[in-house]
Amino acid sequence: SEWLPTLFESLTRQDFKNLELVACVNQPDSYHRIPEKQHIIDDNQRCLQMLEAFGRSGMKVHLIDHSSKGKGWPEHASGVGQARKAVMDYIAALGLPDELIVSIDADTFYPPEYFAVIEETYKKYPEITGLCLPYHHPLNNDEEADRCILRYELYMRAYALNLLLINNPYAFTALGSAMATKIKVYRRLKGLTPFTAGEDFYFIQKLIKNGPVATWAPTQAYPAGRFSDRVIFGTGPAMIKGHRGNWASYPIYPPSIFIPIRQTFESFESLFKSDLPTPLDDFLEKTFKTRSIWQPLRANACSVHTFMRACMQKIDGLRILQYCKTAQADLKISIETALNDLLALLPGGEFHYLREPFSSLSIQTLNTIRMFLEESEYLIRKASPFVNQKYFQK
């Protein structure tokens, strides 16, 4: 509830006025039997009251109540994935095929041009299946929280930039608070799968597999960087783990790990003719339990273009991340070396080389590096707004 006034203000100030808000206030129903969860129950009731009041103030608000007693979800089928699916399914059933579903979070600020820019982007690129928007985590003037969110964002930026630098179709950042799609696309793809967490990652991956996805627009979302255990992984849990000194799940991958990925994707056209060795062969064999990866794809492809698309869909964002984790485990590269190797590939990056231990860097220095990586990513995406267009060219 503490975040809703800021969200309401940002929605009220939007240049685009034809908005309807669908909000899902949710929790497992079992919370009503757990005294330690009473503060969450009480806060969710405040949220419902605030949303109802906001609806009376002018904006049309549709409320989905999965928090009141008897309306919560079973423990095994709860969480942000269920909530986001409930909202998006509701919109898909309510709206017209060409209307937009813009996924937002209650703890995120949206500047006045945000929704108007999304509409204009879809007018400019009507063929896109989805849109992933730029983002920026504001700092909190809290040393511990700021250090954690900057470290987490450096992980996100470095991973995205490494994929962008090899022109990979899965060079996206999964933020449920900064994505959009058309109702007709959502329906065609059978909607969002309600994973307990990471539902935004899998949904964007599904969009990328089925059409061109834009990952740039001249606006950005401002999600809160805060400690939270509402989901299994993501920003909040990452900050909690990082605050405890555990960043093992969020390493800074060096560019060298991405070279085999680039070489394998570049071999797709040649693989249409016959099998040949790729740098990912061992990983793919272990992953798919077979050495015959390419022949079944060739057998079902009517052209080199459809074969390349099938290869891209087979070696998807999840497989790439799994490969990176496997390769990272075999390396003994420090975070300082990994970051410097990435900075060396970016124009002007040499001015930001780390010349002291990462752990001793000040908040100001960390933020300077974050802002440089953010600007570098923004410029690359602006120059080429689509991550996967070549696989869907007509």
Side-chain angles (χ1 to χ4, degrees):
S1 61
E2 65 179 296
W3 299 93
L4 285 178
T6 300
L7 176 67
F8 293 161
E9 180 184 0
S10 67
L11 293 178
T12 301
R13 294 177 58 213
Q14 289 299 311
D15 298 332
F16 183 81
K17 300 302 181 185
N18 189 22
L19 297 174
E20 293 185 31
L21 175 65
V22 181
C24 181
V25 182
N26 65 100
Q27 70 192 45
D29 205 49
S30 61
Y31 281 17
H32 289 278
R33 300 187 295 274
I34 306 172
E36 293 79 8
K37 302 293 186 180
Q38 188 61 47
H39 69 287
I40 297 176
I41 296 169
D42 294 342
D43 191 70
N44 280 339
Q45 290 303 304
R46 282 193 294 273
C47 288
L48 287 169
Q49 294 167 7
M50 293 169 70
L51 285 158
E52 288 173 349
F54 184 57
R56 292 193 295 270
S57 71
M59 180 171 291
K60 189 168 185 179
V61 175
H62 306 256
L63 264 180
I64 303 175
D65 179 6
H66 279 295
S67 60
S68 297
K69 193 169 185 177
K71 295 183 179 180
W73 280 308
E75 191 77 42
H76 70 277
S78 61
V80 65
Q82 285 287 352
R84 209 176 299 280
K85 177 177 172 57
V87 167
M88 296 177 82
D89 284 358
Y90 182 101
I91 298 170
L94 179 72
L96 299 173
D98 281 317
E99 289 184 315
L100 292 170
I101 303 173
V102 180
S103 179
I104 68 174
D105 282 354
D107 63 355
T108 303
F109 174 77
Y110 300 94
E113 79 283 354
Y114 190 79
F115 291 89
V117 166
I118 291 175
E119 184 195 36
E120 287 303 313
T121 301
Y122 266 89
K123 286 180 179 179
K124 186 175 181 179
Y125 306 117
E127 74 278 15
I128 61 176
T129 56
L131 173 62
C132 301
L133 292 115
Y135 69 96
H136 174 87
H137 290 103
L139 299 183
N140 303 297
N141 294 318
D142 178 306
E143 173 88 15
E144 294 179 352
D146 288 348
R147 186 170 293 278
C148 287
I149 191 57
L150 287 169
R151 171 61 180 81
Y152 181 64
E153 190 169 322
L154 288 176
Y155 154 76
M156 296 169 68
R157 298 288 180 191
Y159 187 71
L161 280 163
N162 272 311
L163 287 173
L164 284 168
L165 290 170
I166 64 169
N167 197 30
N168 191 269
Y170 294 100
F172 70 92
T173 298
L175 283 175
S177 57
M179 64 182 189
T181 190
K182 279 190 175 181
I183 286 177
K184 64 182 179 184
V185 173
Y186 188 82
R187 292 172 179 169
R188 174 164 58 87
L189 300 186
K190 310 300 183 186
L192 179 144
T193 304
F195 292 97
T196 306
E199 81 295 337
D200 44 7
F201 173 89
Y202 289 103
F203 183 66
I204 296 169
Q205 178 170 266
K206 184 190 289 190
L207 293 174
I208 287 174
K209 288 183 176 184
N210 286 276
V213 170
T215 60
W216 179 84
T219 187
Q220 58 185 8
Y222 295 85
R226 62 191 179 104
F227 298 106
S228 171
D229 60 359
R230 289 178 60 247
V231 293
I232 298 173
F233 55 86
T235 306
M239 290 179 64
I240 291 174
K241 290 176 71 174
H243 189 242
R244 296 169 181 162
N246 181 10
W247 288 107
S249 300
Y250 308 96
I252 305 296
Y253 297 108
S256 59
I257 281 180
F258 296 82
I259 294 174
I261 300 171
R262 173 179 58 79
Q263 292 171 337
T264 300
F265 272 72
E266 288 176 347
S267 70
F268 288 166
E269 187 171 355
S270 298
L271 283 165
F272 181 62
K273 300 173 184 176
S274 62
D275 281 2
L276 56 89
T278 79
L280 297 189
D281 281 349
D282 291 342
F283 167 77
L284 295 174
E285 182 178 2
K286 291 177 183 177
T287 300
F288 296 111
K289 312 301 182 187
T290 179
R291 198 72 173 170
S292 179
I293 302 295
W294 315 112
Q295 177 53 36
L297 301 182
R298 276 197 298 269
N300 291 304
C302 61
S303 68
V304 63
H305 187 70
T306 55
F307 173 76
M308 291 174 63
R309 184 186 302 175
C311 292
M312 179 270 288
Q313 293 168 333
K314 183 81 171 179
I315 308 176
D316 58 20
L318 176 62
R319 303 308 178 194
I320 290 169
L321 181 58
Q322 290 172 338
Y323 171 77
C324 289
K325 289 181 179 294
T326 300
Q328 177 82 353
D330 296 331
L331 294 176
K332 302 297 181 184
I333 295 180
S334 68
I335 187 173
E336 293 87 359
T337 299
L339 263 176
N340 282 341
D341 287 351
L342 174 59
L343 290 168
L345 299 177
L346 302 171
E350 67 274 9
F351 297 108
H352 301 282
Y353 284 167
L354 277 66
R355 295 181 172 86
E356 55 184 298
F358 185 87
S359 59
S360 67
L361 297 179
S362 66
I363 295 293
Q364 182 179 2
T365 301
L366 287 172
N367 192 41
T368 298
I369 297 171
R370 184 270 293 263
M371 293 303 300
F372 174 74
L373 294 183
E374 179 180 321
E375 179 67 14
S376 298
E377 180 182 345
Y378 189 87
L379 292 174
I380 293 172
R381 293 194 187 281
K382 181 180 180 180
S384 183
F386 296 93
V387 287
N388 63 331
Q389 188 175 33
K390 77 172 186 177
Y391 293 96
F392 292 93
Q393 289 174 336
K394 295 181 180 179

